[in-house]
Amino acid sequence: TLNGTIISAGWDDETGYTIHIQHDNNLVSVYKHNSKLLKKSMDKVSAGTPIALTGNIGTLSTAPHLHFELWHKGEAIDPQQYIKF
């Protein structure tokens, strides 16, 4: 999404392999249900860098997809307001 630092990368039974990236301006992006992580905690990443392979992993997943979240100062925000799809 943006340049940043991976602050969490690991396994969760419900969401599978998950990555959290800290960006400037108190933004955090979250990527869930991945089948494989390509980066680890504290890695610095640039926008567009592959960080994981999407999948159908975790008990809350019902089909192959990427679950994406965007947070600002600890509150969930609508990514459609910030990203051109």
Side-chain angles (χ1 to χ4, degrees), residues 6-51:
I6 297 177
I7 56 174
S8 174
W11 174 260
D12 179 275
D13 287 339
E14 292 182 344
T15 60
Y17 290 107
T18 302
I19 287 187
H20 293 74
I21 302 177
Q22 178 71 59
H23 307 284
D24 289 341
N25 301 321
N26 296 305
L27 287 173
V28 174
S29 57
V30 182
Y31 310 80
K32 298 178 178 180
H33 303 298
N34 298 291
S35 62
K36 181 178 180 180
L37 300 180
L38 303 176
K39 300 292 181 182
K40 62 185 182 317
S41 291
M42 302 313 297
D43 282 351
K44 301 237 185 268
V45 293
S46 299
T49 301
I51 58 171

Side-chain angles (χ1 to χ4, degrees), residues 1-2 6 17 23-24 34 38 40 52 54 60 67-68 76-77 79 81 84-85:
T1 303
L2 297 166
I6 297 177
Y17 290 107
H23 307 284
D24 289 341
N34 298 291
L38 303 176
K40 62 185 182 317
T54 60
L60 295 180
H67 178 115
F68 176 78
I77 56 176
Q81 303 298 315
K84 290 184 179 183
F85 290 94

